Amino acid sequence: MSTPSGFDELIHPSTRLSVVALLAATEWADFPFIRDSLSLSDSALSKQLHTLEEAEYLEIRKEGGGRKRRTKVRLTSRGRTAFEGHVAALRAIVEGAGPAAAPAPAPEAAAATAPDTQQRQHHAKAGR
């Protein structure tokens, strides 16, 4: 099976995928919110944000100074497009992994073809 169009090796590692998914749901997010939401250390998150920023998938803004300095992060339009493409590629992979056979029979059809299974279940419930 070939890799579907849109699959993004940069986003794919679980930590980066989690960061991008979290940011896709918001306009801007504060560093502590991202860190705490994903249970990451400051250094681990900083490294992932730097990697994504280098690819121009994120914009990082530092506001204030001293002890009140805040770091805010958001997806760029390039990052959002890459994330949406990656999600579509993952869906294509998952959908392609299923059986190519006909859909499973309806529960009524399955019950009609296995009466002896129903009898065994009835006897088991009745303690026989």
Side-chain angles (χ1 to χ4, degrees):
M1 175 179 182
S2 64
T3 304
S5 172
F7 189 89
D8 191 314
E9 293 284 349
L10 184 74
I11 292 176
H12 190 66
S14 63
T15 301
R16 280 188 227 134
L17 182 58
S18 296
V19 168
V20 175
L22 182 66
L23 292 172
T26 186
E27 182 64 29
W28 286 92
D30 289 335
F31 185 94
F33 173 77
I34 301 166
R35 178 198 61 211
D36 296 345
S37 295
L38 302 178
S39 300
L40 296 171
S41 67
D42 286 356
S43 62
L45 178 56
S46 291
K47 180 179 177 184
Q48 300 309 323
L49 293 180
H50 179 71
T51 299
L52 292 163
E53 183 184 36
E54 281 185 335
E56 299 179 359
Y57 286 4
L58 300 181
E59 178 182 347
I60 299 175
R61 197 179 281 174
K62 298 194 185 268
E63 300 174 344
R67 295 181 61 121
K68 294 188 178 191
R69 187 170 186 156
R70 291 177 46 182
T71 300
K72 297 179 83 169
V73 184
R74 76 176 181 125
L75 278 182
T76 61
S77 58
R78 179 179 179 160
R80 192 168 300 277
T81 298
F83 174 67
E84 290 168 358
H86 189 67
V87 169
L90 291 175
R91 284 191 177 119
I93 291 169
V94 170
E95 290 168 3
E108 304 83 41
T113 59
D116 126 286
T117 302
Q118 287 179 335
Q119 286 177 344
R120 278 186 270 147
Q121 287 173 346
H122 175 73
H123 290 295
K125 287 179 184 175
R128 297 181 190 165

